[in-house]
Amino acid sequence: MADSPASSRDKILDVAEALFARRGYAGVGLREVADAVGLGKSSLFHHFKSKTQLYFEVLGRVLGRIEERIAPIFAAPGEPAEKLDRVLDTLLDALAEHPTTARLLLRALFEEDEFSGEPCPEEEAARQVLDGLLSGMGAVLHAGIESGAFRDVSVAHALQTMMGACVFHFASGELGEELIGAPVLSASAVRAQKHTVRQLLHHGLAAPAAASGEEDPCRS
Amino acid sequence: MADSPASSRDKILDVAEALFARRGYAGVGLREVADAVGLGKSSLFHHFKSKTQLYFEVLGRVLGRIEERIAPIFAAPGEPAEKLDRVLDTLLDALAEHPTTARLLLRALFEEDEFSGEPCPEEEAARQVLDGLLSGMGAVLHAGIESGAFRDVSVAHALQTMMGACVFHFASGELGEELIGAPVLSASAVRAQKHTVRQLLHHGLAAPAAASGEEDPCRS
DNA sequence: GTCTATACTACGATAGAC
DNA sequence: GTCTATCGTAGTATAGAC
C-alpha cells in the first residue's frame, strides 16, 4: 500500500488506463502495454493474472477516484437542487482532470459483451461502486421530486440522460474538438461545458414554479 | 441497386451491424461474421475489400437511415423550438426502432483510434453525413438563440451535451435495463425516455421568459 | 460467388532460466 | 521480478480450384 513512487504495478495500470481509454479492451494488446511500460510481455502476468483482471483493476481505480469525491456530497446535508449542482460540478471536474476517465467510463457503461466469460471478482467490485454512485444520485432526484423542487420525471430515465449528457463531451475527442474549435479538455471548453450541462440539467429538472428560493446558479 | 431481397451483401451488412454494435470493431472477427451469415470467411472479401471497409459501410448505412428522416425537418419551415422537438422526437424514434443504431453511433462518435491507418473513402462519406446532421442541428440552435427562444448557450457545447443525452440511453444495455427494470427498448421505456429527454432539453434550453407563445409539449 | 488451403502476423498465457 | 522461448489459437488477407 505504501509503495515506492511509481512501482511497476502502478506504471502498468497507468499505461493500460491510457490505452484502454483510447482503443477499448479488445483493441489493446498486452504487448503494446508492455512496450509502453518498458517491460517484456510476460512480466505483466506477474502483476495481473489476466488481461481481464488488468482491465477491471484499471476501471475500479477510475471509479474509485470519482466515488471518493462524490460520495461525501451525498452524505452531507443540503437541498436536492444544491446537491445536484454540487455533484454535477464535481463530476465534471473529475472528468476534466483526467483525460482517460470519460472514455473508460463511457465504454464501461455500455460495453458488457467484450469479455470472454470469466467471472473476475474485480468486475463485481467495480460494479458495486458504480451502483453506489447511481443510487446516491437517484436518491437526490427522488428527494427533489418529492419536495416539489424537481419536475416529476422518471428517476431512472433522468439518470440515464444525465449520464450521457455529462460524460459524452469529455469522451468525444476528435469530433468534439472539431465542433468546438479547441481541445475538449482545454480550460475554456471545460468551463463552457460545465455551464451548458448546468443550464440544461438544472433548468430542465427544476419545477416550473420553483418552491425553493435560491438564485440561478447558471448565471455565475 | 435493385437486388433480390436479402442478397449475400445485405446479409453480411446486417450481421456485421449487429456484431459491431455489440462488441466494437476490434472485438469482432471476420470468422464470426462469416459463420453468422453462413458463409466461409474468405467469401466476405468478395463483397468487401477489407474489414475496415465493411465497418464503414455499416456505419454509413446507419447514418444514412437517420439522415433520411431528420434532414427534411431541417429543410422545412418552422420555429426553432418546434424543430428542436421534432428532431429530438425523430431521432429518439430512430434509435428506438433499430437496437444496433445507438451503440454503433456512440462508438463512432468517440472512437477514432481503432483503425490501422488506412484512409478508406467510406469513412469520409460517413463523416460528411454526420457533419451535415450536426450543422443542421447547430443552425436550429443558433436561430433559436438569436430569436430569443433559447438561452444564450454555446451551440457547440449544447450539441455535445444533447448527443450524449439522446444516444446514451439506447446504448446502455444491461446497465440501463437494471436501472429501469425493463429492456431499454421496450415500448414503455422508450416513451418515458422521450418524455425525459424532452423535459430536460426543451426546458433546459428554453429562455426564462419564453418569447414564443406555444404550450408545453412535455405535458403530452 | 463460394469453397479449401495457406501465408503471415498477432494474440493471451505458460514454463523455466537468471 | 524480469527475461527468452514457446504453445495453441485466432486474426486479416490472398491464391486458386470449382
Side-chain angles (χ1 to χ4, degrees):
Chain A
M1 289 295 178
D3 285 347
S4 65
S7 65
S8 272
R9 207 188 130 88
D10 290 335
K11 278 200 277 192
I12 295 169
L13 283 170
D14 288 342
V15 165
E17 180 175 325
L19 287 171
F20 283 141
R22 222 180 289 282
R23 285 200 263 294
Y25 179 80
V28 173
L30 293 183
R31 161 144 206 177
E32 197 180 358
V33 177
D35 283 353
V37 178
L39 289 176
K41 196 174 47 159
S42 304
S43 305
L44 301 185
F45 290 92
H46 261 263
H47 301 279
F48 306 94
K49 75 166 206 269
S50 71
K51 184 188 180 186
T52 306
Q53 196 212 359
L54 170 60
Y55 173 78
F56 281 113
E57 210 135 339
V58 165
L59 183 60
R61 215 175 50 146
V62 166
L63 280 167
R65 283 198 297 252
I66 292 181
E67 190 205 25
E68 187 179 44
R69 298 168 67 164
I70 289 189
I73 302 175
F74 294 143
E79 295 277 323
E82 250 179 87
K83 281 196 186 184
L84 171 70
D85 286 336
R86 245 184 294 167
V87 169
L88 289 179
D89 228 55
T90 304
L91 176 60
L92 267 46
D93 278 339
L95 295 174
E97 275 168 30
H98 218 130
T100 61
T101 303
R103 283 194 179 202
L104 220 35
L105 212 52
L106 190 52
R107 294 191 126 101
L109 289 172
F110 78 101
E111 308 208 35
E112 57 232 8
D113 243 14
E114 300 259 332
F115 315 101
S116 325
E118 307 141 75
C120 195
E122 285 80 9
E123 177 172 6
E124 204 45 45
R127 185 65 171 221
Q128 284 182 5
V129 173
L130 181 61
D131 283 351
L133 288 171
L134 286 174
S135 74
M137 197 61 214
V140 171
L141 289 181
H142 193 71
I145 292 170
E146 284 233 319
S147 80
F150 295 155
R151 295 173 198 280
D152 187 21
V153 292
S154 153
V155 170
H157 290 274
L159 279 176
Q160 293 255 88
T161 309
M162 289 169 64
M163 276 190 274
C166 287
V167 176
F168 176 72
H169 168 264
F170 298 96
S172 69
E174 205 180 82
L175 172 81
E177 196 162 326
E178 185 187 312
L179 204 60
I180 287 170
V184 292
L185 289 170
S186 67
S188 66
V190 169
R191 208 175 335 110
Q193 181 63 18
K194 285 175 71 170
H195 186 75
T196 303
V197 168
R198 269 212 266 182
Q199 286 218 337
L200 291 184
L201 295 187
H202 184 100
H203 288 125
L205 219 42
S212 59
E214 50 182 340
E215 64 267 26
D216 185 346
C218 298
R219 283 295 173 194
S220 61
Chain B
M1 288 297 179
D3 286 345
S4 65
S7 64
S8 273
R9 206 189 131 89
D10 290 336
K11 280 200 274 191
I12 294 169
L13 283 170
D14 289 341
V15 164
E17 181 175 325
L19 287 172
F20 283 142
R22 222 179 289 283
R23 285 200 264 293
Y25 179 80
V28 174
L30 293 183
R31 160 143 208 181
E32 197 180 359
V33 177
D35 283 353
V37 178
L39 288 177
K41 202 173 40 159
S42 305
S43 303
L44 301 185
F45 290 93
H46 257 265
H47 301 278
F48 306 94
K49 74 165 207 269
S50 69
K51 184 189 180 184
T52 305
Q53 196 212 359
L54 170 59
Y55 173 80
F56 282 113
E57 209 135 340
V58 165
L59 183 60
R61 214 174 50 146
V62 166
L63 280 166
R65 283 198 297 251
I66 292 181
E67 189 205 25
E68 189 178 43
R69 298 168 67 162
I70 289 189
I73 302 175
F74 293 142
E79 295 277 323
E82 250 179 87
K83 281 197 184 181
L84 171 70
D85 286 335
R86 245 183 295 165
V87 169
L88 289 179
D89 228 54
T90 305
L91 176 60
L92 266 47
D93 278 339
L95 294 174
E97 274 168 30
H98 217 131
T100 62
T101 303
R103 283 194 180 202
L104 219 36
L105 212 51
L106 190 52
R107 293 191 126 101
L109 289 172
F110 78 102
E111 308 209 33
E112 56 233 9
D113 243 14
E114 299 259 331
F115 315 100
S116 325
E118 305 140 76
C120 195
E122 285 80 8
E123 177 172 6
E124 203 46 45
R127 183 67 169 221
Q128 284 182 4
V129 173
L130 181 60
D131 283 352
L133 287 171
L134 287 174
S135 75
M137 197 60 213
V140 171
L141 289 181
H142 193 73
I145 293 170
E146 284 233 320
S147 80
F150 296 156
R151 294 174 198 280
D152 186 22
V153 292
S154 154
V155 170
H157 290 274
L159 280 176
Q160 293 255 86
T161 309
M162 289 170 64
M163 277 190 273
C166 289
V167 176
F168 177 72
H169 169 264
F170 298 95
S172 69
E174 205 180 84
L175 172 80
E177 196 161 326
E178 185 187 314
L179 204 60
I180 287 170
V184 292
L185 289 170
S186 67
S188 67
V190 169
R191 207 174 336 109
Q193 181 64 18
K194 284 173 71 169
H195 186 74
T196 303
V197 168
R198 269 212 265 181
Q199 285 217 339
L200 291 184
L201 294 187
H202 185 99
H203 288 126
L205 219 44
S212 60
E214 51 183 339
E215 63 268 25
D216 185 344
C218 297
R219 285 293 172 195
S220 60

